[in-house]
Amino acid sequence: MKANIPKGLGGPANMQGMIRQAQKMQEQMTELQSELDSREYEVKAGGGAVTILIDGKKQIKQLTIEPEIVDPDDIETLSDVLCAAVNEAIKKVNETN
């Protein structure tokens, strides 16, 4: 039994072309995702007292804390600033990806 393919839609050759195009798009998407994953973002919080370097995979690469924010009698403020910095860094990555 022969398939009845309407004229203008092409046949097997057109299907192969579409498959090749889809494969090319998949390769481009993989390359783009790899590029986004390797990007690094720097985020500051607490008026610059805390700096976070994060990559596109949301892995923290570096955390810098300025000495003036470290107060043994006020750990709560340091904790709040760290949370704000991490959340802002994740938000920045999500907006880009």
Side-chain angles (χ1 to χ4, degrees), residues 49-61:
V50 174
T51 304
I52 290 184
L53 184 64
I54 188 170
D55 68 16
K57 292 181 181 179
K58 300 177 191 161
Q59 300 292 313
I60 301 211
K61 298 295 189 178

Side-chain angles (χ1 to χ4, degrees), residues 53-73:
L53 184 64
I54 188 170
D55 68 16
K57 292 181 181 179
K58 300 177 191 161
Q59 300 292 313
I60 301 211
K61 298 295 189 178
Q62 185 177 359
L63 174 66
T64 306
I65 303 170
E66 295 298 323
E68 63 266 11
I69 197 169
V70 180
D71 180 357
D73 296 327

